[in-house]
Amino acid sequence: MRLSRSLSITSLSGLPLFEEESLPVEDLLLFEVAWEVTNKVGGIYTVIQTKAKITVDEWGENYFMMGPYYEHNFKTQVEKCEPPNQAIRAAMDSLINNGCQVHFGRWLIEGSPYVILFDIGAAAWNLDRWKGDLWSACGIGLPYHDREANDSLILGSLVAWFFKELTDQLQDKLNVVAHFHEWQAGTGLVLSRSRNLPLATIFTTHATLLGRYLCAGNADFYNNLDKFDIDREAGERQIYHRYCLERAAVHCAHVFTTVSQITAVEADHMLHRNPDVVTPNGLNVRKFSAMHEFQNLHSMNKSKIQEFVRGHFYGHLDFNLEKTLFFFIAGRYEFSNKGADLFLESLSRLNYLLRVHKSDVTVVVFFIMPAKTNNFNVESLKGQAVRKQLWDTAQSVKEKFGKKLYESLLRGEIPDMSKILDRDDFTIMKRAIYATQRHSLPPVTTHNMLDDSTDPILGNIRRIGLFNGRNDRVKIVFHPEFLSSTSPLLPMDYEEFVRGCHLGVFPSYYEPWGYTPGECTVMGIPSVTTNLSGFGCFMEEHVSDPSEYGIYIVDRRFRSADESCNQLTQFMFSFCQKSRRQRIIQRNRTERLSDLLDWRYLGRFYMHARHLALSRSFPEKFRPEHLNLTSTQGFRYPRPSSVPPSPSASIHSTPHHSDEEDDDTYDEEEEAERDRLNIKAPFSVGADTDGKRTQPVENGN
């Protein structure tokens, strides 16, 4: 049974897709277990939801997802149906006949995968017995007060029970691959392995449990990875039992994977196992792709943001909106982990540089991070009301003016402009102008914050003194709520908002992957990331000169905080110097990278992990020598062909470029075709079977 893959070049921007003698999926069943199946909690939900389509395409009706049952989610997201496999039906019936509740259906997302959902509450009466089973299996005890850990044990016990019944039914007819995500699902892996069930198991950690806790406590994490007393740190945070579950799952799995190389380094120190494969997170690019219209979408959505800015800054709108750039940061409100502290300090320095160079560029920065609020603040609502009133006034005067002008031209007369508008019209316009007068500065936040005095973003804004003053070239708008198209302030969905901005800034300190810059990339919006995020590491590996493609990578791993801050400031200042035409060219290049983040390309890493798991669990059927384990390869995008080799040759010495000075010829299609032809030679991005990573080797192109 030969399983090697042969690569072929396709139209996917020069990236190869697999055309191979694939796994015999008709003789296999694939189960993916995660707490987030039909249950949106965090980023893992996005991973499994977007990956479903390519997995269903590969495995068909032999692919199943497993997770907890929640009645509301089941009724709104799942279409109930009967299992296509009689062995699965029999395994479910066995659990149901023993007092458990198991639900089956199709998850109503792209690909419509089958889901098997276990009712946690209905099986809770078994908790004490299952705690005893866990202790007997691996010596891990769970405290009664940790409900999340107890629920994960119930789910894991039900999953292991299900797999026991299923494998008994299948005998040797079909082999089972079980892929578990994160520690909440890992209990099922530990119990299945302790009972010697014939499964090929994979465990993926999207971020180590202890790593999240340590970084949330502002520890100097990456400089002290080899110095932490892991057991003591977990014990002090009262998560030792969770840490033990995670570590047990890691060491029980046939194949251990992480989502990025930086997380692989973390896992090696925190969990004491080097990942076998790195499985980067992808996106369903078709969902975000707008074909060749993404530049038009940027312009259209930018106009919506400009309308908000006109209202929010009424009375202080003394800057040119056509020379105003919109930057943003978005995500969970983790002030240090998401890099908001570094971002704010860099904005202070950027403001200084723009003022010193007398730049006519203004930067409006949006912080989209949910925090505790009680409502919109009055000033923000008033600003939008004033803007709307001014618009209505202008429209009524314009209509009156147009009618008189039309009638005058019909009579063959040149209109007397002094008579077209009467005294009442001037009175209305003067009243509208007076209504825009403001004696206070535009608000920094759009909502009333419950913890105004202790909020870290507002506290740092007070420290750096960016209060949206007239002389400030950097303005700040803190929107402490997720965006919605029904909002009376900024009626835009997140995707529309991202498309309308010029630059996303995500200088994260702890970011195992980072979907926000990835979403920017597939929408053609340049972004800032770091070499401590999985996305940043991935782009450094795959792109020869990321900044020319609109991916600016701040070094937060090998530089001091002050040096990183200066680097981020310089990235933003250089971006402000670009002309409109240069930004358009850069957006074209950024959007071209979207294929790198497509699951059609990144799905190969999951395929590789399944191959490896099968070879380790069923070596007599899937012999390692039949696996071409080095074929999981990446490609490096070259430096854009139109960019000179010296950075200084492409940056003017003046503080700002005008749109008229860019006379050099540029052909987007020609450059894209050259990039496709000049893709670097492949290199291995999966770790070898002994856990050592193969270094990239480029050819002489």
Side-chain angles (χ1 to χ4, degrees), residues 117 191 244 250 361 409 452:
L117 304 177
L191 293 172
C244 289
V250 166
V361 171
L409 293 175
D452 185 297

Side-chain angles (χ1 to χ4, degrees), residues 40-145:
K40 188 170 185 177
V41 177
I44 301 172
Y45 177 89
T46 304
V47 176
I48 59 178
Q49 182 196 41
T50 56
K51 186 170 62 65
K53 175 65 166 61
I54 62 129
T55 313
V56 170
D57 288 345
E58 182 189 3
W59 289 77
E61 297 201 340
N62 285 10
Y63 172 56
F64 306 87
M65 291 185 178
M66 306 171 78
Y69 168 82
Y70 292 96
E71 184 179 10
H72 174 74
N73 294 345
F74 189 82
K75 288 182 176 179
T76 56
Q77 299 182 44
V78 180
E79 179 185 17
K80 190 173 183 180
C81 64
E82 285 298 311
N85 188 299
Q86 289 303 314
I88 291 177
R89 176 75 267 175
M92 288 176 54
D93 288 342
S94 179
L95 269 68
I96 293 171
N97 294 335
N98 282 278
C100 302
Q101 293 185 20
V102 187
H103 303 266
F104 189 93
R106 283 191 181 274
W107 191 3
L108 300 179
I109 58 175
E110 192 169 8
S112 301
Y114 288 123
V115 291
I116 304 171
L117 304 177
F118 301 93
D119 193 323
I120 305 297
W125 57 276
N126 291 295
L127 181 59
D128 289 338
R129 176 166 61 88
W130 286 339
K131 281 187 177 182
D133 292 343
L134 182 66
W135 178 263
S136 300
C138 55
I140 299 175
L142 302 184
Y144 72 92
H145 57 77

Side-chain angles (χ1 to χ4, degrees), residues 271-296:
L271 301 171
H272 301 291
R273 180 175 176 182
N274 201 26
D276 301 290
V277 185
V278 172
T279 52
N281 291 337
L283 285 164
N284 184 348
V285 172
R286 285 186 301 168
K287 176 181 177 182
F288 299 97
S289 171
M291 302 302 288
H292 300 293
E293 292 296 317
F294 77 97
Q295 294 282 9
N296 295 336

Side-chain angles (χ1 to χ4, degrees), residues 594-642:
S594 62
D595 291 325
L596 272 177
L597 303 173
D598 195 334
W599 276 120
R600 289 178 295 164
Y601 172 56
L602 296 180
R604 67 184 65 190
F605 298 99
Y606 279 84
M607 297 175 187
H608 175 69
R610 294 171 200 138
H611 283 203
L612 190 56
L614 285 167
S615 72
R616 291 178 176 177
S617 55
F618 306 110
E620 69 286 351
K621 289 187 177 180
F622 305 91
R623 293 195 299 274
E625 60 267 23
H626 286 169
L627 294 172
N628 184 3
L629 296 179
T630 61
S631 67
T632 305
Q633 296 167 330
F635 285 74
R636 285 181 72 82
Y637 265 68
R639 185 182 180 85
S641 56
S642 64

Side-chain angles (χ1 to χ4, degrees), residues 253-270:
H254 291 104
V255 172
F256 170 46
T257 80
T258 62
V259 297
S260 64
Q261 190 57 36
I262 192 68
T263 313
V265 174
E266 174 188 341
D268 192 23
H269 288 87
M270 297 286 110

Side-chain angles (χ1 to χ4, degrees), residues 333 335 340-345 348 367 369 371 444-445 449-467 476 478 480:
Y333 197 164
F335 183 68
D341 50 353
L342 187 76
F343 188 26
L344 282 165
E345 180 59 35
S348 176
F367 285 76
M369 290 181 160
V444 168
T445 179
M449 303 288 292
L450 292 182
D451 301 316
D452 185 297
S453 60
T454 59
D455 183 82
I457 288 180
L458 295 181
N460 274 268
I461 289 174
R462 296 184 187 105
R463 179 182 62 81
I464 62 180
L466 282 179
F467 298 120
I476 292 180
F478 180 20

